Amino acid sequence: MIVTGCISADHRRGGTFLAQIKKAAVIGAGVMGAAIAGHLANAGIRTLLLDIVPREVNEKEQVKGLTLEDPAVRNRFARMGRERLLKEKPAPLFHKSMMDRIEIGNLEDDLERLSEVDWVIEAVVENLKIKQDLFSRIEGVWNPGTIISSNTSGISIHDMVQGRSEEFRAHFLGTHFFNPPRYMKLLELIPTADTKDELVQEMKAFAEGRLGKGVVLAKDTPNFIANRIGVYGLAVTFWKMLEENLGPDEVDAVTGRAMGRPKSATFRTLDLVGLDTFIHVSDNVRENVEDPEEKKAFEVPALLQEMVDNGWLGSKSGQGFFKKVKGEKGSEIYSLDPQTKEYRPRKKLKAPSLEMAKRAKSMKEQLRALVYADDAAGRLAWFITKKVLLYSAARIPEIADDIESVDKAMRWGFNWDLGPFEVWDTIGVEKSVAKMKEEGESIPPLVEELLASGARSFYEKSPESVKAFHLGGQFQEVDEHPKEIHLSRLKEQGKVIKSNRGASLVDIGDDVLCLEFHSPKNAIAADIIQMIHAGVQEVSRNWRGLVIGNQGSTFCVGANLMMILMEAQDQNWPELDLMIRQFQKAMGALRAVGKPVVAAPFNMALGGGVEVSLPADRIQASAETYMGLVETGVGLIPGGGGNKEMLLRWTEGVDPKDSIGLQNRVNKVFETIAMAKVSTSAVEAKDYRFLRDGIDGITMNQDHLLYDAKQQVLALGAAGYRAPEPRKIPVVGETGFNTLKLGAYGLLQSGYISEHDYKIATKLAYVLAGGNLPEGALVDEQYLLDIEREAFLSLAGEPKSQMRMQHMLTKNKPLRN
């Protein structure tokens, strides 16, 4: 099931708007157009992907005897775009089956089919004349009321539809997706003066709910919001690098995580985007703004133009600011020396402020330690920060009417931890403005107005709400989606029922409790297990149900591996055995609590993170959830009931007497756990039965995840919820164990796995087979938990398993020994 969050207004052909967008068309099957079509398919929308007809037959088509009249030739560009969706990394599709929702065609034979769809998205080459001609053709087949939009990254939305009818213009707007559309949260909506207000609001709601986007309303100005500010920041950084005689590697050491930006920082980001693309976007601003100083800021440095002329475009050409070089010790990344224009080994800028930023306990400490430091890194960070903050403030109200739109655009579109005005608050508005004035900078009116009002920050936060400084010298409530639940705010409001170092029980309203993990990486240890037991008791007495969820960076990476390793190295087997027993009991308690329990995983849900989710009555997962029982990678097998839960899911409904059918099901479980398979999306998690088709739900917008999980709790309660009865599980027994073991032995003999992999696989096979029992025997859940725990403890004592655990903790990657 996919939670859709569809737009709600009544849309009729020839009238107003859509109750639900069921079918769309994307025109332009290039990298961006095909990826947009792919994400629409992810959202359950059937999509028609169109492109131009080729002018000539290629070599492969000639060999097949095809001509320009054959559909295979005429649809070539759209077909290539569609096929590319299965090859690109990271994958644009949730699952390969999403391809079935994408049809292909061309603009000559299939243009009239645009009358069948509810939304047409233009994603052709960035050329105003080409776009204008295309919209003229579209209007000829357009069904009045159908939404039309452009994915342009900077061309005037208004200019595109000059000459089109009033009705057409009323249903037209910009929908600027960020690349890659599946993963990038930002969608800029750019209406014109002619666009109907209802359309804008309903498209915003649709994009947030159905597409999972973070939407900001941008004005029809060059490059809109995110690219306008982001490209300015990149340009400023480039010029500063040249001025200070630094290298891109040295600059990136400062402008990445140290400044609350992505690891790709500045120049690795430019390589990923493409240097030619960066020049195009920069040119678009320079050619369309009036201010001479702003024009100058977007001038293309001679070095950058020379690199593009040389074909050094970045990652897509194999070299840009960085290049992979093969040497005696294998491949190594080299950095461009801007002075010599030759590649050299990378080096990092060393400065005390960078070390202080790394040790900081909060973003406030981190940024202040860096931007106010009087060393090379601090001066660079201050200059870039200063310029971006001043530029952002000066662009309001030109590009947006409010500061929160700018901040959201930069967080969602460029993956900054904080937007410009949030950064300003973090480093201190008064202190930073005083420093800027000392350096002769002109302070934008918005900032002077803030300080003149007596305020000292752009945002006012309280447990009840967040207010942002708006034009007119006042603070106004930040617009928040009704489906957003903020655990941090609820905790500030005193909604914590119980808490310890690892977890809390938080009242999220409607008599529903949330079990929130907040340990490092949300790893499960004794404190979390204690809170699970406490939550079960609390919910059984006083609440309608329980949601297991949090709003950290990841749902749960599994059990506390360091603790397991330390107990195993100390041979403290009674303590380790007790911990596993307690974990298993906690999972059993979740299943038997008598009130609905819904798990809400997102991002990484690994090992114990999966085991916490599987006993829940329902799982409501974020679309971007990567689930897997990965314990074999650290020399173990699941110990918290994961094997038993997977057997429950895979053997449900199978006849114990059907030995072949039962063995095939157990084989699937064995393969999934032994190979530590991890889903690449919540949709793919259904293939492994971490999620159950038709039972568990998927939320497209992670910001709505806790809300959707709570609704599942309430719906189960309203339907007369009863806790599931324990059931017997059919096992394949000794015969099935030998079958599984034989398969693993074949892999060992072929060199695909090591001796220790084989030992782990044998232990896993024994557990999944149910031990030395007759084939088809029925066992209870506790029996499987007992042999699972015994196998886990046995492997924890193996020196090679301990080596794997140690390697994962120190290197953050598996060891194959």
Side-chain angles (χ1 to χ4, degrees), residues 146-280:
T146 298
I147 300 165
I148 310 289
S149 72
S150 171
N151 183 59
T152 181
S153 59
I155 294 178
S156 169
I157 304 298
H158 174 270
D159 291 349
M160 284 184 205
V161 286
Q162 285 304 292
R164 306 281 61 79
S165 69
E166 182 180 343
E167 182 71 4
F168 189 92
R169 296 197 311 273
H171 291 82
F172 179 76
L173 74 165
T175 51
H176 182 212
F177 290 81
F178 274 63
N179 192 33
R182 170 183 167 181
Y183 301 95
M184 294 303 294
K185 190 175 180 68
L186 180 62
L187 175 66
E188 291 177 321
L189 289 186
I190 311 101
T192 71
D194 299 319
T195 310
K196 289 190 175 183
D197 291 339
E198 310 97 288
L199 172 65
V200 177
Q201 294 306 314
E202 290 167 10
M203 282 298 291
K204 181 177 185 292
F206 177 84
E208 289 171 337
R210 185 70 175 272
L211 302 182
K213 293 299 176 186
V215 177
V216 297
L217 300 183
K219 294 190 178 182
D220 191 7
T221 55
N223 289 20
F224 313 127
I225 299 176
N227 278 345
R228 181 76 170 270
I229 293 171
V231 172
Y232 174 83
L234 293 170
V236 163
T237 306
F238 196 111
W239 285 112
K240 191 64 174 175
M241 175 187 73
L242 298 178
E243 181 184 319
E244 297 294 328
N245 239 2
L246 296 171
D249 46 354
E250 295 171 297
V251 173
D252 276 4
V254 178
T255 60
R257 295 306 302 145
M259 288 180 63
R261 310 277 182 85
K263 288 182 180 179
S264 57
T266 300
F267 294 98
R268 280 176 293 168
T269 295
L270 284 171
D271 273 2
L272 290 169
V273 169
L275 274 57
D276 53 339
T277 301
F278 175 74
I279 287 179
H280 170 77

Side-chain angles (χ1 to χ4, degrees), residues 594-707:
K595 300 286 181 68
V597 176
V598 177
F602 62 92
N603 200 338
M604 305 303 292
L606 303 176
V610 175
E611 290 180 301
V612 165
S613 301
L614 294 180
D617 298 292
R618 295 286 187 275
I619 298 176
Q620 185 70 33
S622 167
E624 298 297 343
T625 301
Y626 316 112
M627 302 184 79
L629 292 165
V630 297
E631 286 85 351
T632 58
V634 291
L636 303 170
I637 67 168
N643 304 288
K644 180 262 295 183
E645 289 292 335
M646 291 296 283
L647 284 174
L648 274 170
R649 289 176 177 231
W650 278 94
T651 62
E652 186 173 9
V654 70
D655 185 348
K657 297 178 182 178
D658 178 7
S659 59
I660 295 176
L662 181 59
Q663 184 70 56
N664 287 339
R665 299 286 186 94
V666 175
N667 290 349
K668 287 286 189 181
V669 179
F670 179 73
E671 181 182 309
T672 298
I673 299 176
M675 297 180 69
K677 291 189 174 181
V678 178
S679 69
T680 60
S681 69
V683 176
E684 191 183 46
K686 294 181 180 181
D687 290 351
Y688 305 130
R689 299 200 184 176
F690 298 135
L691 300 184
R692 297 157 295 183
D693 200 16
I695 297 176
D696 297 319
I698 297 175
T699 294
M700 290 292 286
N701 192 326
Q702 190 172 302
D703 292 341
H704 304 170
L705 182 59
L706 290 181
Y707 174 90

Side-chain angles (χ1 to χ4, degrees), residues 258 353 356-372 426-427:
S353 62
M356 290 176 64
K358 285 180 183 178
R359 294 194 297 268
K361 296 180 180 179
S362 67
M363 182 58 68
K364 184 175 182 178
E365 288 182 14
Q366 178 177 318
L367 283 178
R368 289 190 171 199
L370 186 60
V371 301
Y372 292 127
T426 300
I427 66 173

Side-chain angles (χ1 to χ4, degrees), residues 44-63:
I45 301 167
R46 302 201 66 83
T47 303
L48 177 63
L49 181 61
L50 303 180
D51 210 311
I52 60 173
V53 174
R55 295 180 179 177
E56 56 186 23
V57 177
N58 65 27
E59 192 173 319
K60 289 183 179 180
E61 292 163 345
Q62 288 177 354
V63 170

